[in-house]
Amino acid sequence: MASKTSRDVLSRGLGVLRQAIREQPRIFAVAVVGSVLFGGMIIVSARVVGSVIGEVALPAIERGEVGAGSLVLAATALFGISVLRVVGIFGRRLGAGYMQYRLQASYRRRVTRRYLELPLSWHHRNSTGTLLSNANSDVEAAWYPIAPLPFAVGTLVMLIGAIVSLFATDWALALVGLAVFPALFALNVVYSRRMAPRQARAQRLRAEVSGIAHESFDGALVVKTMGREAQETARFAGRAGELRDSLIAVGRLRGIFDPLLETLPSLGTLAVLVVGAFRLRQGAISVTELVSVAFLFTVLAFPVRAIGWVLAELPRSVAGWDRVRRVLDATGEMPYGQRVLDPAGAGPATLTFTDVHYSYPPAEAHPPGAQVLGEVGFTVPSGRTVALVGPTGAGKSTIASLAVRLVDPDSGTVSLDGVDVRELTSASLAGTVALVAQVPFIFDDTVRANIALDRPGVDDEVVWAALRLAEADGFVAALPDGLDTMVGERGTSLSGGQRQRLTLARALAGRPRLLVLDDATSAVDPRVEAAILAGLRSSTTEAGVPAASILVVAYRRATIALADEVIYVEQGRVVARGTHSELLATVPGYVDLVTAYEQAEVERAQESSYGDDVAPLPSGLEIEVDR
């Protein structure tokens, strides 16, 4: 079984190398030519050294004088060979390095592009640490054997030339070469087979260590407030220890085989000298030929190692390649169509849900195939504001995701201005609708960069207009550097409400025709939230028409009351619709939900008014409040 697995790793590893050569044939050819030139010069140098010893040095010793012409000729020959070897080394290393780094850069781009193409459901099934490892260490591992590959190919050509040269010199010395060279190759194969499982395990543990580290750092607030520092440190240390032991196992195996790989050519040189001395006594070979062969075996030790380097890295390459291909071959992307909607100046868009059903994929659903939405149908008319209300788990966020096509329905249609969103181009959809999610995401950049996102036409005037509409211009103007203020990773220098208002301004800066707010102002003071919603409803384009239609997931009574229509959902179905006052009068579940949330708001307001009667928080622990 182990032998079969090793053969499989070798076969698949060679397949990865073939893929690399197909993608970069010209650069590979340059590197191989350099390597072959280097190998050829080694064989030639063995002949030249043999000639210098046998035909220049020994006769000079016998005569007691050195001929200047012979000496100059020998020096010129050796110098010329050295220059050509340097050229070969330069071409080989430059080509190999260029090829390796081009492949790594290309596949990092491919993996990242694939991440952006795959739906959120796929990302939910894969940890961030694993995805980071795929794009970084796995890509590097996949193409790690590329660096020694041209050298190894040149070495194979050199070995063939060396064997031919040996047979041309003497059959007995050639038999020594035929014994040593296959032994070197066999040792490399055994090395590769033993190394395969160790390298695969080390590569897997690299991803796991990265995942644990990212999870611990990303959840630092929870770790610290729950007093889990020691446990998280122990969890990370345990997996890091496994990685350490795995890498030590790799190093230990390498420590055993490296001396053997060094020793075999030396034993070959010794065998050549023994056999060669016997053949020299018989008169079958000359001193020049014996020195040439002995020198050849001496200088072959290093190049032959290149074959071992490639074989040793194949297991790691296969492990990395498999993890990269898992991303590139992942299915579930949502192809876009070719339809284009009218630009923003055409006025607000109309959103329509028609008999929409949606279930989470089997890997995410509990139980598998559980339906989230069923027979959902409603319309957000052009220029109107519709509030989506329902208990936790009713499917509100899923409806918001469907509206902006983060996911597609199992059946039914979601359309904008009568066009199925699946028929729209990516640019048209992004330019028509904007989502402001529950959890705001802020880049570690300036306020300006977070809002503009390098979009054409979004200058400072547009940025300030969006900030005013989001009720965020006041606190931004008060920041130390205004729009140029760095907000920190995930906006850590801002309060929760400020982050929400910045993400709202970001969406508004794109002038969407439909704005989807998924509980996007939950951390904002109710009075500020009401002002934001009122401002959004009253905003108009230069032509005097409403700027956008609004679908808002809401809980607060003041927010809901601003809507033209309320859609009440329970267990993934629309159970009632109408104005806020109509639903209060006719839907008990709606009344209970709105009343419960309103009571919770009152209790929080009363607690905050107690002032000094409230016990102080422990040192270092702060609650985010809207500033």
Side-chain angles (χ1 to χ4, degrees):
M1 180 64 70
S3 176
K4 182 178 179 181
T5 301
S6 300
R7 287 195 299 270
D8 180 60
V9 169
L10 179 61
S11 174
R12 291 163 60 201
L14 294 176
V16 175
L17 299 182
R18 285 193 296 271
Q19 177 68 24
I21 295 170
R22 282 196 296 267
E23 293 198 22
Q24 303 290 335
R26 294 182 180 178
I27 300 176
F28 180 71
V30 170
V32 169
V33 168
S35 182
V36 170
L37 177 62
F38 172 78
M41 289 303 101
I42 285 182
I43 296 175
V44 173
S45 66
R47 287 290 181 181
V48 171
V49 168
S51 298
V52 169
I53 298 297
E55 300 175 16
V56 177
L58 290 180
I61 293 173
E62 292 174 358
R63 293 194 306 266
E65 61 179 1
V66 179
S70 299
L71 188 61
V72 170
L73 181 62
T76 302
L78 291 173
F79 178 77
I81 291 171
S82 299
V83 169
L84 290 176
R85 286 178 64 177
V86 169
V87 171
I89 292 172
F90 179 78
R92 182 194 78 219
R93 290 188 174 180
L94 181 63
Y98 197 54
M99 181 179 177
Q100 181 182 33
Y101 297 137
R102 276 183 64 117
L103 285 167
Q104 289 177 355
S106 172
Y107 273 81
R108 282 195 180 98
R109 289 192 296 268
R110 295 186 196 185
V111 169
T112 302
R113 183 166 60 247
R114 192 64 181 150
Y115 285 162
L116 299 177
E117 292 171 348
L118 289 166
L120 287 179
S121 57
W122 185 88
H123 287 268
H124 293 161
R125 298 193 299 270
N126 295 273
S127 71
T128 303
T130 298
L131 301 185
L132 289 173
S133 179
N134 291 153
N136 186 28
S137 63
D138 290 334
V139 169
E140 288 185 357
W143 304 122
Y144 205 80
I146 298 303
L149 177 61
F151 196 8
V153 173
T155 298
L156 288 175
V157 175
M158 182 186 65
L159 289 177
I160 294 173
I163 291 174
V164 171
S165 177
L166 288 174
F167 272 104
T169 301
D170 182 65
W171 65 267
L173 297 180
L175 291 179
V176 174
L178 289 178
V180 172
F181 295 153
L184 280 171
F185 184 77
L187 185 61
N188 278 313
V189 170
V190 173
Y191 180 33
S192 175
R193 291 181 176 180
R194 296 291 182 88
M195 185 65 77
R198 292 169 173 81
Q199 288 281 27
R201 183 169 186 269
Q203 197 63 21
R204 175 178 57 81
L205 286 171
R206 282 188 178 94
E208 292 181 8
V209 168
S210 175
I212 293 174
H214 184 276
E215 189 175 60
S216 297
F217 303 155
D218 207 34
L221 179 63
V222 175
V223 171
K224 294 185 72 64
T225 56
M226 300 299 293
R228 299 289 298 175
E229 294 94 332
Q231 291 80 356
E232 284 299 302
T233 301
R235 184 165 74 106
F236 180 82
R239 199 53 51 90
E242 291 183 40
L243 176 59
R244 175 204 60 209
D245 295 341
S246 179
L247 293 175
I248 288 175
V250 170
R252 185 182 296 117
L253 185 64
R254 185 167 289 163
I256 293 172
F257 276 88
D258 277 0
L260 294 177
L261 292 171
E262 289 280 359
T263 301
L264 267 180
S266 300
L267 293 177
T269 302
L270 181 61
V272 163
L273 291 176
V274 172
V275 174
F278 178 74
R279 297 291 287 168
L280 182 64
R281 188 179 304 115
Q282 291 180 331
I285 61 174
S286 65
V287 172
T288 296
E289 291 172 327
L290 176 59
V291 172
S292 296
V293 174
F295 181 80
L296 181 62
F297 270 79
T298 301
V299 297
L300 277 178
F302 176 71
V304 168
R305 292 290 307 280
I307 300 174
W309 294 335
V310 172
L311 294 176
E313 293 299 337
L314 282 185
R316 181 181 175 187
S317 175
V318 169
W321 178 251
D322 287 346
R323 294 170 66 83
V324 170
R325 290 306 316 178
R326 184 184 67 85
V327 176
L328 298 180
D329 295 338
T331 58
E333 73 276 11
M334 298 183 295
Y336 291 93
Q338 300 298 319
R339 300 282 297 275
V340 177
L341 293 178
D342 292 332
T350 298
L351 172 69
T352 304
F353 276 63
T354 304
D355 194 25
V356 169
H357 294 72
Y358 179 79
S359 301
Y360 284 132
E364 300 177 46
H366 302 283
Q371 190 176 72
V372 181
L373 300 177
E375 300 179 1
V376 172
F378 65 88
T379 297
V380 179
S382 175
R384 309 288 279 180
T385 299
V386 173
L388 198 60
V389 181
T392 301
K396 303 182 297 299
S397 292
T398 302
I399 291 175
S401 297
L402 286 162
V404 297
R405 211 193 167 206
L406 291 179
V407 293
D408 282 335
D410 299 333
S411 62
T413 59
V414 179
S415 59
L416 289 169
D417 290 344
V419 179
D420 192 324
V421 293
R422 288 170 287 199
E423 299 178 13
L424 297 175
T425 66
S426 174
S428 182
L429 181 63
T432 302
V433 60
L435 170 70
V436 185
Q438 293 175 338
V439 180
F441 182 86
I442 303 295
F443 295 98
D444 186 8
D445 210 328
T446 65
V447 173
R448 177 188 291 104
N450 267 284
I451 297 174
L453 296 180
D454 290 328
R455 289 175 286 186
V458 183
D459 54 19
D460 282 4
E461 182 179 351
V462 174
V463 168
W464 280 114
L467 288 170
R468 283 192 294 272
L469 199 53
E471 296 287 328
D473 56 319
F475 81 79
V476 170
L479 292 174
D481 298 311
L483 292 179
D484 294 315
T485 301
M486 297 293 295
V487 295
E489 185 177 6
R490 294 181 180 270
T492 52
S493 65
L494 305 173
S495 72
Q498 288 173 336
R499 291 197 293 269
Q500 285 191 333
R501 282 182 279 172
L502 280 189
T503 55
L504 176 58
R506 175 195 297 159
L508 294 172
R511 302 180 181 90
R513 299 174 56 215
L514 171 67
L515 186 62
V516 180
L517 307 177
D518 184 7
D519 198 19
T521 52
S522 58
V524 175
D525 183 275
R527 290 168 296 180
V528 177
E529 181 186 39
I532 292 173
L533 265 295
L536 293 176
R537 287 195 61 190
S538 61
S539 63
T540 60
T541 65
E542 294 179 358
V545 298
S549 307
I550 300 173
L551 175 65
V552 54
V553 176
Y555 293 97
R556 291 170 174 165
R557 183 189 292 262
T559 304
I560 299 170
L562 290 172
D564 299 300
E565 184 181 23
V566 179
I567 306 294
Y568 181 62
V569 293
E570 283 185 353
Q571 298 181 348
R573 295 178 181 271
V574 176
V575 296
R577 68 182 67 192
T579 64
H580 173 57
S581 58
E582 289 172 346
L583 294 187
L584 283 177
T586 59
V587 183
Y590 179 79
V591 174
D592 293 341
L593 181 68
V594 174
T595 302
Y597 189 83
E598 189 174 45
Q599 181 61 36
E601 287 286 315
V602 170
E603 291 175 358
R604 278 196 292 270
Q606 290 175 343
E607 290 176 358
S608 65
S609 68
Y610 291 158
D612 295 335
D613 294 335
V614 179
L617 291 170
S619 176
L621 180 61
E622 298 178 356
I623 294 179
E624 278 190 340
V625 295
D626 186 37
R627 292 194 275 247

